[in-house]
Every structure is written in structure tokens, then in C-alpha cells.
Amino acid sequence: MKKTSTRLADGRELIYYDLADDTVRDAADRRPLDATVTTSEIRRDALLGDSVAIASHRQGRTYHPPADECPLCPSEGDRLSEIPDSSYDVVVFENRFPSLAGDSGRCEVVCFTSDHHASFAGLSERQARLVLDAWTDRTSELSHLPSVEQVFCFENRGAEIGVTLQHPHGQIYAYPFTTPRTALMLRQVAAHKEATGGENLFDAVLEREQAGERIVLEGEHWVAFVPYAAHWPYEVHLYPRRRVPDLLGLDEAARTEFPQVYLELLKRFDRIFGEGEPPTPYIAAWHQAPFGALEEFDGVTRDDFALHLELFTIRRTSGKLKFLAGSESGMNVFINDVPPERAAERLREVASS
């Protein structure tokens, strides 16, 4: 992998990740851009104890542009985009309309391929591995920023999810705090560790799932399963067999196998609802240990956390979505219409040939 860092016309950082070591990236951003102005502010909810990002400048972000005006495609002739070069393998750049900025963290966009009509599932294994390497590199770099406590790499796919740019891409949020969902996990890990005399909760969950009926697929270094208490109609958790706290902890064997397992998983997601259905909308979310202090989680260290990816769709059946209505949105109590055992069975049925 070759990494080349440059700056866009408004000062934002852009990084090329190339498969070929001899690739030259010297194209300049020719757009007459003013410096970006953000109004991101983190406010603490006194009743719930969580945080909300107030980012009114995002109201003006690009919204469903036609394909020939996509800002994530390479620049070509007089059509200038966020990527100055005429081609790329993988690109990461600072979001022009970030939810988090400055002392409130940082937001980045990850373009998986220059092909506007592709998808992550359609990437080659080499390309998917390059994305994994880019995620890992950005996790490392962002973790050293003084304003960053947790790094979250994710992909939103599909208009049903709320995606406003159709080009295959993901995002990275670098939060200045430990996110509420991660804090809940850490509290459960701490309680389980104390109750069992030191057993790791993630290890216990993985061992239980491997002995059960919700396994979707397995590799030598990765295991994918539908969790016992899945929140979403089709939800899969992907774990490395060897517990590590973050992407940086993966060894070469796990990195090499990841594209095979993950690409197969994504292809199965697109087959869930049968032939002729539009691509399955999904969220793919990497859960990594925070880089900040964990004193509030009694006796828990970063090494007690288990890196894993959670992949889920909001589509519950053909042509119907799972909406977060009263119980979910009002009380945070999920109601799942698809039994996790049936979801796992379906995802095994649609294995690609």
C-alpha cells in the first residue's frame, strides 16, 4: 500500500491509498473554495448522560446529485470534484460538512472505489483489503489527536438508510468521548468480569454462539453469527477468533482472510429478499475500544474489549422496512419481527456459489 497525503483547496486533508507503490499523486484541487466554516457543538444531556452533536451547517450539504455531478467521483476535464486526480483506488478526506470538527472531534469520508456504480460487495479481495488497511491507518492516526477518544469506521448503504450520495463510500467519526453504546458494552464487560472472577464477556458470547444454531459462516480467523438478542430483522456480528481491541490489533492472517469472509457476507445480504429486489440497504459498523481512560468501567482495560463488525438492514421483508417507532425511539426497547434463528438460517440458504 502506498499512502499519499495532500490538501484540498480549502485546506482539508485528502489521502490517497494506492495498490501500486509507484503511483504518483500530484494533481492539485483547482476549485475556488473558501475555507470551510463549521458550527459543530457537543451538548451533554443531563438526564440521559449522553452527548448530542449540534451541527446546523450540515443543512447545506450536497443532497442526491445526479451521477455526472457526484463529488466523490474522480475529477475529469472541467468537472471538478472532491478528488483532484482522474483516478484512484481508495481515498480518504475530511468531510466538508462534518458533524464533528475541531475540539469536537473529526469526520472523514472513505471512498472505496472510483467506480460510481459499484458497491463494496463488488470489490475485488485486493481492493477490500486496501479499504481495511485504510481504516486501520486512519484509526491509528486519529487516535493520536488530542480531541479524539474513540474512532468509529462505518458504511451507510442505500437511500432507505438516509444516504445522500450514491457513490460507494463510508465514513469515519472520531469522537471526543466514549460513545453511549460502547459505554454500555464496557459496563456489561465489567459486571461479567466481576461476577465470574475474571471471565471475558466477549469471549463467552463468541463461545456460546459457536456452539449454537445462529452461525452464518466461519473462516479460520473470523466468525459471523446472528446474535441471540438481535435488534434488527437481519443482523450479523463478525468477530475475529482472536480477541483484539481494535483494527490495529489484527494480525496478517486475519487481515488476509477478512476480504473473503466480509465480501461473502455482503453478497448474502443482497440475496436475502430474493431475485429482482433492489440492493439491500444496510449499516456496517466497526466497534473498537476507546483510546481514552477507562477508569469509570471498574477493572476494565482496552484489552478486555473485542473488535467486531455489526452489519444490519432495516428491511424486514420484501418491500417493507423496520421503522423505529414508539417503543424503539421512545423507550429504546427494540421489537424484532424476524426470529434470529430464522435470520441465520436464511443467510445460510443464500450462500453464493
Side-chain angles (χ1 to χ4, degrees):
M1 177 187 78
K2 181 181 181 182
K3 175 183 174 182
T4 306
S5 180
T6 185
R7 292 282 172 180
L8 296 174
D10 55 9
R12 288 175 294 132
E13 184 177 19
L14 179 143
I15 307 157
Y16 295 97
Y17 293 90
D18 287 295
L19 292 167
D21 290 338
D22 59 352
T23 304
V24 177
R25 298 296 186 188
D26 56 8
D29 184 1
R30 294 179 285 130
R31 297 173 298 171
L33 297 180
D34 295 327
T36 56
V37 178
T38 63
T39 57
S40 181
E41 176 189 358
I42 302 296
R43 295 187 180 182
R44 186 78 170 171
D45 186 315
L47 292 179
L48 297 180
D50 59 11
S51 298
V52 177
I54 309 297
S56 59
H57 62 278
R58 285 175 52 79
Q59 287 280 31
R61 65 187 184 274
T62 308
Y63 187 80
H64 291 298
D68 59 358
E69 296 179 16
C70 176
L72 306 185
C73 289
S75 291
E76 183 177 358
D78 293 331
R79 189 183 65 76
L80 305 178
S81 73
E82 290 280 68
I83 295 89
D85 217 323
S86 58
S87 66
Y88 64 85
D89 291 332
V90 173
V91 165
V92 177
F93 61 88
E94 288 184 76
N95 198 321
R96 192 177 180 187
F97 302 96
S99 301
L100 309 167
D103 293 339
S104 297
R106 176 158 158 154
C107 292
E108 298 182 340
V109 177
V110 184
C111 299
F112 303 141
T113 171
S114 59
D115 184 353
H116 180 83
H117 301 288
S119 67
F120 201 117
L123 299 181
S124 68
E125 289 185 10
R126 288 186 72 213
Q127 190 81 5
R129 167 61 191 267
L130 185 61
V131 175
L132 174 63
D133 290 342
W135 282 331
T136 305
D137 180 71
R138 295 315 301 153
T139 296
S140 176
E141 293 292 327
L142 292 169
S143 71
H144 290 99
L145 296 180
S147 63
V148 172
E149 187 166 311
Q150 185 173 354
V151 179
F152 176 46
C153 306
F154 65 100
E155 180 191 1
N156 295 330
R157 191 248 199 144
E160 300 93 329
I161 297 293
V163 174
T164 57
L165 298 176
Q166 298 308 310
H167 194 104
H169 72 287
Q171 299 180 67
I172 301 175
Y173 275 24
Y175 297 99
F177 50 79
T178 297
T179 62
R181 187 175 177 86
T182 302
L184 285 174
M185 292 184 195
L186 290 169
R187 292 189 188 102
Q188 289 298 104
V189 169
H192 186 84
K193 190 174 185 178
E194 181 178 1
T196 60
E199 182 182 62
N200 183 272
L201 178 58
F202 287 107
D203 292 349
V205 167
L206 184 56
E207 182 179 355
R208 181 185 69 183
E209 293 293 356
Q210 287 179 281
E213 58 181 316
R214 290 179 297 276
I215 293 292
V216 174
L217 59 89
E218 296 183 89
E220 183 179 354
H221 304 283
W222 295 87
V223 180
F225 59 88
V226 177
Y228 171 74
H231 288 57
W232 299 94
Y234 291 91
E235 175 182 340
V236 177
H237 293 190
L238 179 61
Y239 277 68
R241 291 185 185 273
R242 182 177 68 88
R243 173 165 43 92
V244 295
D246 51 43
L247 289 165
L248 284 71
L250 293 174
D251 60 21
E252 182 58 29
R255 292 181 182 281
T256 299
E257 187 182 74
F258 171 76
Q260 305 163 27
V261 175
Y262 187 50
L263 291 174
E264 169 65 16
L265 196 56
L266 291 179
K267 289 171 185 175
R268 293 190 191 191
F269 253 61
D270 273 343
R271 293 190 180 96
I272 294 173
F273 303 105
E275 297 295 330
E277 286 291 318
T280 301
Y282 66 73
I283 293 174
W286 280 109
H287 291 262
Q288 305 192 81
F291 289 94
L294 301 179
E295 286 87 352
E296 63 180 293
F297 308 105
D298 299 332
V300 172
T301 69
R302 293 192 79 248
D303 290 335
D304 290 317
F305 195 87
L307 166 77
H308 62 284
L309 183 142
E310 297 185 8
L311 173 69
F312 59 90
T313 180
I314 62 171
R315 187 179 293 165
R316 56 186 174 87
T317 190
S318 179
K320 297 179 182 178
L321 301 180
K322 165 64 178 177
F323 292 101
L324 299 190
S327 186
E328 292 89 355
S329 295
M331 286 289 114
N332 201 28
V333 177
F334 276 68
I335 300 169
N336 190 351
D337 304 307
V338 180
E341 293 73 23
R342 175 53 190 150
E345 181 182 18
R346 178 59 181 157
L347 284 161
R348 290 192 298 268
E349 290 174 350
V350 296
S352 63
S353 58

